[in-house]
Amino acid sequence: YEKFETLVSSCPAPFLRCFNILFVKAVRLLTDEAINHKRNSEDEILKAFQVLDKDKKGYLDAEDLQTLMTTYGEKFMPEEVKEMLAAAVDTEMGRVYYEDYAEILAGD
């Protein structure tokens, strides 16, 4: 916070006015996004898992899912994957039975 305060106090007045406007707009945008954010439906989540389950087994191997989540697309942090898998994996089989998990993810 102190570094930010020092940076802002050293800026010329025209920049500060612009910064204040941008900051207010950013806060409004983030607030609106948080308020209006809607979870995906269970059906949408289920379809996404089904795309990954090419053999239509009804589950995904935890290792494979972890690799996908940390390697492709919008990559998850290892801590996020660990937390997600802790809630989703059948520890005896090392599988994510995604039909049940989709229901959990879609819930409020």
Side-chain angles (χ1 to χ4, degrees):
Y1 175 77
E2 290 174 9
K3 288 180 182 181
F4 180 72
E5 188 176 27
T6 302
L7 176 67
V8 170
S9 65
S10 67
C11 291
F15 175 79
L16 285 179
R17 280 192 296 277
C18 181
F19 175 79
N20 284 338
I21 292 168
L22 290 174
F23 180 75
V24 169
K25 286 183 178 182
V27 168
R28 283 185 191 147
L29 178 65
L30 292 173
T31 303
D32 288 345
E33 185 69 26
I35 290 170
N36 296 320
H37 177 73
K38 294 181 177 68
R39 290 179 181 237
N40 293 81
S41 71
E42 183 178 341
D43 189 51
E44 291 170 319
I45 296 168
L46 190 57
K47 286 178 182 177
F49 278 121
Q50 288 170 340
V51 168
L52 299 173
D53 181 14
K54 295 185 187 322
D55 297 329
K56 305 205 183 311
K57 301 175 287 190
Y59 65 86
L60 299 169
D61 291 314
E63 262 184 52
D64 294 342
L65 188 56
Q66 181 174 2
T67 300
L68 288 169
M69 293 176 68
T70 56
T71 308
Y72 300 100
E74 189 174 321
K75 298 174 183 88
F76 287 79
M77 300 299 297
E79 302 82 35
E80 294 171 316
V81 175
K82 184 177 179 180
E83 184 178 329
M84 176 264 192
L85 291 178
V89 173
D90 174 337
T91 53
E92 288 182 27
M93 303 298 287
R95 297 174 176 166
V96 175
Y97 293 94
Y98 54 78
E99 193 168 313
D100 296 331
Y101 195 56
E103 183 179 346
I104 292 168
L105 290 173
D108 291 325

